Amino acid sequence: MGKSTDMNGIWSGMYNYDQVDMTVKFTAWLDDENGALGGSVMEPNTFVDGGPDELMAKIKGVRSGLDLAFSKVYHKDLGIRQPPLRYEGEANADFTEVRGVWRFDAPDLMRGQFRLIRMVEGMAGRLLRARAETVKP
């Protein structure tokens, strides 16, 4: 795989909490259109009592060079009532890894760190994402 210059593709991620000893793994599908970030996240349900086994969220943000910032909002049908989560991070030079922090807008709510590792990029990532969206139950 050659050097990437954007965030397009499928990413394996994890986030943890500063206040709680817990790490959550997730998968992200990212589209990077000249620095405009969009995509979705699928993660195990760790906080919605009686909810589904997996939670889906949409992300939207921006990338400038190696720096990125995006918001994550859980799917409305899940009934999650919380402010958007804000993520800020920095990619390494070949766009294979991102490290950063996440937080809510309210300072008294939880926060922590996150990490993304590229799994699939470019057209292959977009094709896999399109296929996943057409196979929804």
Side-chain angles (χ1 to χ4, degrees), residues 1 6 25 35 124 137:
M1 168 166 53
D6 60 38
K25 294 181 180 181

Side-chain angles (χ1 to χ4, degrees), residues 101-119:
V101 296
W102 65 268
R103 63 176 170 73
F104 288 99
D105 282 336
D108 58 334
L109 295 177
M110 295 188 156
R111 62 187 176 279
Q113 292 84 42
F114 77 97
R115 181 178 178 199
L116 295 167
I117 303 290
R118 184 187 294 276
M119 294 173 55

Side-chain angles (χ1 to χ4, degrees), residues 43-136:
E43 65 187 69
N45 180 359
T46 59
F47 62 91
V48 180
D49 291 334
D53 291 340
E54 294 183 316
L55 303 178
M56 185 171 212
K58 295 289 183 186
I59 63 168
K60 185 176 181 179
V62 295
R63 179 189 56 79
S64 177
L66 300 177
D67 296 323
L68 58 130
F70 60 88
S71 296
K72 179 171 90 173
V73 178
Y74 289 98
H75 195 280
K76 293 176 185 174
D77 291 347
L78 298 172
I80 298 171
R81 305 287 183 249
Q82 67 181 27
L85 291 148
R86 308 286 182 204
Y87 286 73
E88 295 177 358
E90 182 178 3
N92 63 1
D94 58 357
F95 286 92
T96 57
E97 182 177 0
V98 175
R99 290 179 183 261
V101 296
W102 65 268
R103 63 176 170 73
F104 288 99
D105 282 336
D108 58 334
L109 295 177
M110 295 188 156
R111 62 187 176 279
Q113 292 84 42
F114 77 97
R115 181 178 178 199
L116 295 167
I117 303 290
R118 184 187 294 276
M119 294 173 55
V120 181
E121 67 178 303
M123 182 57 77
R126 286 191 286 275
L127 289 171
L128 284 171
R129 181 172 179 226
R131 181 164 189 248
E133 289 178 353
T134 61
V135 182
K136 291 181 181 175

Side-chain angles (χ1 to χ4, degrees), residues 11-15 23-28 114-117 119:
W11 296 76
S12 176
M14 58 170 276
Y15 64 86
T23 299
V24 178
K25 294 181 180 181
F26 63 90
T27 301
F114 77 97
R115 181 178 178 199
L116 295 167
I117 303 290
M119 294 173 55

